[in-house]
Amino acid sequence: MSSPVVLGIESSCDETGAGIVKDGKLLAHVVASSMDEHARFGGVVPEIAARAHLHAFNPVVREALDQAGLRLGQIDAVAVTTGPGLSGALQVGLAGAKTLAYAAGVPLYGVHHLAGHVAADTLEHGPLPDPCVVLIVSGGHTSLLLVRDLVREPIPHLGDTLDDAAGECFDKVARILGLPYPGGPAIDRAARDGDPKAVAFPRPLTRPGDDPYAFSFSGLKTAAARWAERHRQRGEEPPVADGAAALQEAVADVLTRKALAACRAYDVKTLIVVGGVAANSRVRALAERRCASAGIELRVPPMTLCTDNGAMIAAVGDLLVRSGAEPAPLNVSIDPSAPLEYASLTPLPSTPVAVSR
């Protein structure tokens, strides 16, 4: 199939996404978020997310088809996130995707959520260079990857977070500072009026002898919490703008420093930054400056493709179909904690173990 039309479904967390891609080109991109329903709890509530996906699934798919000017019968394949993510949320998306694939009589492809983030960049900048270093930064993941062929080869990890992800650090510190959920955008907004040098927050795992590509943000979160606590013990509120700016600077410094070190070590000329935290203004600005100084091309998707969306899943599905990959079996299941090894993710239900009496 030279130019398949692929419908992608994403439902791993609190966004219900549907996207349509043909031959690497984005035809439709629709997202319904349940973020407002979670905000009063300060984080995503899995049961609320799953229920929101149930309500949003059909309208989002219909709108995507309308945007592309297509009927379901004109879809050649369906791709869906099968992990990682929230179990109930993933189940809703997979069940809906199976129904669509069956109704249209087309193959179904299971996709790893993080591979979707990587593929999102192709919708803006074209095929991935071989090789490239990819920095994935989101609420639940922070990883450095060395990518060659995204859908045909294993995806080597140069480094991953040992504890909190960068986005998780933003969320938790935002709560400490009294900022709203989600924390990443709130930190970014508050930081505009702050001094990034006002607080000397640590740069975790950047000393000689540390793992050059591993990340750790738990200690940074704790340092920010203690800084705020010291102010409150003195009977004063911490200067939120300065704290946000200093925290953002520390996170951006660590992320970009390690990503550039990986590019130099592996003689890679292109750095791709993806995931929700790639929308952070300071991460983008510092990456641009450091890449320009090092003579490395920087690719970052548009902000609308940085957060979770169905278009990125459709992009992986499009690559899988065009590469001749086998579709998922009918009994494909989900894996809420799946490690990123391959772009295609087709876990099967575990077989019950018979217990003798």
Side-chain angles (χ1 to χ4, degrees):
M1 191 180 301
S2 58
S3 296
V5 178
V6 181
L7 169 65
I9 303 295
E10 157 62 25
S11 69
S12 65
C13 192
D14 60 345
E15 279 104 3
T16 311
I20 299 176
V21 171
K22 177 180 180 181
D23 202 24
K25 305 299 181 184
L26 183 60
L27 304 184
H29 170 38
V30 180
V31 177
S33 175
S34 60
M35 188 178 296
D36 290 345
E37 298 178 53
H38 304 283
R40 63 193 179 102
F41 300 102
V44 176
V45 180
E47 293 82 2
I48 293 176
R51 194 178 305 120
H53 289 305
L54 281 170
H55 290 301
F57 187 92
N58 284 339
V60 164
V61 170
R62 281 197 298 268
E63 186 175 344
L65 290 169
D66 288 345
Q67 271 190 17
L70 297 171
R71 302 183 307 276
L72 182 60
Q74 294 173 286
I75 297 296
D76 297 306
V78 177
V80 60
T81 302
T82 46
L86 302 174
S87 178
L90 289 168
Q91 291 282 17
V92 173
L94 178 58
K98 283 183 175 181
T99 302
L100 292 172
Y102 180 80
V106 298
L108 177 73
Y109 292 83
V111 171
H112 196 289
H113 175 78
L114 296 184
H117 277 303
V118 179
D121 183 73
T122 67
L123 299 175
E124 178 72 11
H125 300 115
L128 299 175
D130 178 7
C132 58
V133 167
V134 178
L135 173 63
I136 299 179
V137 275
S138 67
H141 305 277
T142 303
S143 298
L144 267 176
L145 313 174
L146 182 64
V147 176
R148 295 189 181 278
D149 188 315
L150 181 64
V151 299
R152 289 187 175 93
E153 296 183 13
I155 302 170
H157 289 234
L158 303 179
D160 297 285
T161 185
L162 304 179
D163 40 59
D164 290 357
E168 185 179 1
C169 178
F170 280 151
D171 283 340
K172 291 179 176 177
V173 175
R175 182 183 296 185
I176 292 166
L177 297 178
L179 295 172
Y181 176 85
I187 291 283
D188 203 350
R189 288 192 298 270
R192 295 171 190 165
D193 299 320
D195 177 5
K197 298 179 181 179
V199 189
F201 285 137
R203 270 53 170 172
L205 295 183
T206 57
R207 295 174 300 182
D210 289 338
D211 187 326
Y213 311 127
F215 299 95
S216 170
F217 294 104
S218 178
L220 178 58
K221 171 198 66 182
T222 301
R226 290 177 176 169
W227 169 79
E229 183 182 9
R230 286 194 296 271
H231 278 275
R232 288 172 178 140
Q233 286 174 342
R234 296 195 296 265
E236 60 189 38
E237 279 301 304
V240 172
D242 285 347
L247 176 79
Q248 184 172 261
E249 187 69 21
V251 171
D253 182 22
V254 171
L255 291 174
T256 57
R257 190 188 306 191
K258 287 177 175 280
L260 268 293
C263 290
R264 288 190 291 267
Y266 288 87
D267 195 26
V268 171
K269 301 302 182 186
T270 303
L271 171 64
I272 299 174
V273 184
V274 297
V277 179
N280 178 272
S281 63
R282 185 54 183 157
V283 170
R284 284 177 173 248
L286 193 54
E288 287 173 2
R289 194 185 81 195
R290 289 180 168 174
C291 282
S293 297
I296 292 171
E297 178 192 15
L298 174 66
R299 292 177 30 164
V300 186
M303 292 180 68
T304 57
L305 292 176
C306 286
T307 51
D308 296 349
N309 62 85
M312 70 186 196
I313 304 303
V316 179
D318 173 56
L319 293 171
L320 287 169
V321 175
R322 288 193 282 141
S323 72
E326 287 293 318
L330 292 176
N331 62 337
V332 62
S333 184
I334 62 166
D335 186 347
S337 57
L340 177 59
E341 297 173 342
Y342 292 90
S344 177
L345 179 62
T346 55
L348 300 179
S350 57
T351 303
V353 178
V355 178
S356 58
R357 295 186 177 183

